Amino acid sequence: MGYQTISVDGSIGPVGAEVSGVDLSQPFSEAVLSEIHSAWLEHHVLFFRDQNLTPTQQAGFAANFGELDVYPFMKALDSHSNVIPIIKEADSSMNFGGAWHTDTSYLDLPPKATLLYAVEVPDEGGDTLFADATAAYAELSDGMKQTLEGLDGIYSPKMVHGASGDYAQVAARENLGEAYGGNTEFTEQEVEHPLIRTHVETGKKSIYCSKPHTHRIDGWTREESIPLFSYLMNYLTQDRFVTRFKWRNGSLAMWDNRCVFHNALNDYAGKRRHMHRVIVQGEKPV
Ligand code: SIN
């Protein structure tokens, strides 16, 4: 697709595009906003370099795409209730977002967009991986598509925050809410969403279930469900669907949780990583 007001470089990997020619701290015209939105729908995740954003400016940019949401498990900045600081200190091993997932799919209304801004990142390490769940769905066999179409998942935050998450990467995130000063009241809640999600704006289908957040398939036992989740996650995260984003201070990534998975790498022991995270309200997955 051709863009008139922004530059969009989609050659950076299988999913995502780097956008230049915009200063996100400033208000911009409807034409620019409309092209950013179109590029986001086309590429699923947009990367902006060399920005200089206060929390209010980051939230202001995010608000162009919908109502801002509040992440229930972590404490926001005192100065801005929609901006969550994600800080991994040099001596900490706790890695927020360190498993393949889409954000908070265990909520009834998961956020459609997440905007993550790099305040201070290590010179090396701490990259984030993004996987294209639409392209992955498209390449499934007709038989697998038909099987998945009829299935709903039971999604639950207890997979992340409670005792039943039995994967190594999930265990590493247990008590995350407490550790970050948020609440833990939602831990037993379960919601039902399809395993295959149709994007309300593009009409495209994507794999949606994720190993850290989907407890089981509706009507199946968890034991029966896990092999299918494992297959889908291994399939979806093959190199041909994945872009690796190397952060620099001032980078901002804006991803579409309806069609892209992500995974924060934990390979920078001894270094500090400080991000600001904002989410935009989404709709019930269909
Ligand atoms: C997240 O999962 O929202 C955080 C990802 C990251 O810190 O790279």
Side-chain angles (χ1 to χ4, degrees):
M1 184 169 164
Y3 294 93
Q4 308 302 318
T5 63
I6 56 174
S7 296
V8 180
D9 178 3
S11 68
I12 57 168
V15 65
E18 195 165 311
V19 176
S20 52
V22 278
D23 176 354
L24 303 181
S25 70
Q26 301 297 320
F28 30 66
S29 66
E30 278 302 316
V32 173
L33 185 58
S34 162
E35 289 210 328
I36 292 175
H37 187 238
S38 299
W40 184 56
L41 293 180
E42 182 182 359
H43 294 283
H44 308 333
V45 49
L46 297 182
F47 305 108
F48 301 85
R49 294 287 192 189
D50 305 319
Q51 302 294 319
N52 188 7
L53 297 177
T54 64
T56 301
Q57 288 166 335
Q58 182 183 352
F61 173 60
N64 286 308
F65 304 95
E67 291 281 313
L68 301 188
D69 215 343
V70 174
Y71 182 64
F73 294 111
M74 278 162 64
K75 195 171 173 316
L77 291 176
D78 288 338
S79 62
H80 206 299
S81 60
N82 296 106
V83 182
I84 304 284
I86 299 177
I87 301 174
K88 182 167 176 281
E89 298 291 356
D91 61 355
S92 167
S93 58
M94 181 136 26
N95 184 37
F96 180 84
W100 280 106
H101 65 288
T102 71
D103 285 328
T104 39
S105 57
Y106 46 79
L107 297 180
D108 198 36
L109 301 176
K112 66 175 173 187
T114 302
L115 291 89
L116 192 67
Y117 175 66
V119 179
E120 179 195 1
V121 288
D123 289 342
E124 292 297 330
D127 299 349
T128 305
L129 306 177
F130 293 91
D132 189 339
T134 308
Y137 171 80
E139 288 187 28
L140 287 170
S141 67
D142 289 343
M144 180 58 103
K145 282 179 185 160
Q146 273 166 23
T147 303
L148 295 173
E149 290 290 344
L151 300 177
D152 287 320
I154 306 298
Y155 297 69
S156 175
K158 67 188 170 189
M159 296 291 296
V160 182
H161 299 274
S164 19
D166 58 0
Y167 303 105
Q169 73 270 44
V170 174
R173 297 177 64 180
E174 282 186 15
N175 297 323
L176 194 65
E178 220 169 296
Y180 280 91
N183 77 59
T184 52
E185 283 170 20
F186 293 73
T187 51
E188 290 304 318
Q189 169 187 304
E190 291 188 338
V191 298
E192 194 171 317
H193 297 315
L195 295 191
I196 300 301
R197 181 172 187 175
T198 304
H199 198 293
V200 291
E201 294 186 78
T202 66
K204 292 186 177 162
K205 292 182 178 178
S206 299
I207 295 170
Y208 191 60
C209 78
S210 72
K211 227 167 146 185
H213 294 170
T214 321
H215 186 260
R216 62 189 182 281
I217 295 167
D218 187 33
W220 297 27
T221 65
R222 179 159 161 71
E223 191 185 12
E224 290 164 344
S225 307
I226 288 172
L228 184 53
F229 296 158
S230 298
Y231 170 75
L232 289 172
M233 294 308 286
N234 290 335
Y235 164 75
L236 166 68
T237 56
Q238 293 173 91
D239 287 351
R240 71 181 191 279
F241 301 125
V242 172
T243 294
R244 180 175 184 143
F245 183 61
K246 177 163 178 43
W247 297 91
R248 298 197 302 255
N249 293 350
S251 302
L252 181 133
M254 168 181 172
W255 62 84
D256 188 336
N257 286 303
R258 299 167 292 189
C259 55
V260 69
F261 280 58
H262 60 282
N263 182 6
L265 298 181
N266 189 9
D267 56 356
Y268 53 102
K271 295 177 192 157
R272 187 173 198 266
R273 184 175 184 267
H274 178 182
M275 317 294 276
H276 282 168
R277 185 175 185 273
V278 175
I279 51 176
V280 179
Q281 281 177 19
E283 59 283 330
K284 175 85 183 156
V286 289

